[in-house]
Amino acid sequence: MKYNYSREKIKWENEKILEEKLLKDNNIDQTIIKKLRDYDWIDFNKERSFRTHQNITKGVFFNLTETNDKKEINSINDLMDEIENENLYKILSKEDDVTLKILVYKIQGYSTKEIANILGITIDNIYYRIKN
């Protein structure tokens, strides 16, 4: 799977918030906390660069992996985990659950009429949500 910068950055920022709170609670000087954060940011970017440029097709990779490597999307979390485009991830993360469920059902092959019945909404509502 391709490196998902947005997801990893959010995870890193959440870890830093917890870490900085712990350091502040233990009366660590603010300048030291800033130096640690700056160092960790540089390290994060090095890791991002490495993972972004990693060529996983070298060697015997394809001989050792299953041929069915596509992940099945069964939930909103599965959908969001598979998004590799940062801008698309940002857009979809702002959408409501119903719209994301519509996308999941569409990916699974359900018709618009079936989705409307499952979610208890009108077909027009589905088209409206997808267009906007």
Side-chain angles (χ1 to χ4, degrees):
M1 184 167 86
K2 188 175 177 186
Y3 182 76
N4 188 323
Y5 174 77
S6 296
R7 183 176 53 221
E8 293 300 319
K9 183 178 179 197
I10 290 168
K11 191 165 78 173
W12 180 85
E13 288 173 340
N14 289 336
E15 290 172 0
K16 290 295 116 194
I17 289 169
L18 293 173
E19 180 181 270
E20 288 176 10
K21 183 182 181 321
L22 180 65
L23 292 170
K24 286 177 185 177
D25 290 346
N26 287 300
N27 299 321
I28 304 297
D29 187 25
Q30 188 64 31
T31 56
I32 293 173
I33 295 173
K34 176 152 179 26
K35 284 180 184 179
L36 283 171
R37 184 177 185 87
D38 292 344
Y39 176 82
D40 288 344
W41 180 246
I42 292 168
D43 189 52
F44 173 80
N45 281 321
K46 284 180 184 176
E47 179 73 11
R48 176 191 55 85
S49 178
F50 173 77
R51 290 190 183 269
T52 302
H53 296 97
Q54 209 174 18
N55 186 356
I56 59 171
T57 60
K58 288 184 178 175
V60 293
F61 175 79
F62 289 110
N63 296 333
L64 301 174
T65 58
E66 296 181 44
T67 55
N68 185 10
D69 60 352
K70 276 221 173 221
K71 184 176 178 186
E72 208 172 302
I73 296 178
N74 295 316
S75 68
I76 294 172
N77 287 336
D78 291 344
L79 172 68
M80 298 305 283
D81 285 346
E82 289 299 308
I83 295 172
E84 296 175 355
N85 181 295
E86 186 175 343
N87 291 330
L88 179 59
Y89 185 86
K90 286 179 183 177
I91 291 168
L92 289 179
S93 65
K94 294 176 185 174
E95 288 296 326
D96 62 293
D97 282 353
V98 174
T99 303
L100 294 175
K101 285 179 184 177
I102 292 169
L103 292 175
V104 169
Y105 287 129
K106 274 295 195 187
I107 290 169
Q108 291 175 340
Y110 286 92
S111 71
T112 306
K113 185 177 181 179
E114 291 171 322
I115 296 170
N117 288 335
I118 292 168
L119 297 177
I121 58 177
T122 65
I123 293 173
D124 289 337
N125 191 310
I126 291 174
Y127 286 124
Y128 175 79
R129 287 173 179 274
I130 292 174
K131 282 185 179 180
N132 294 324

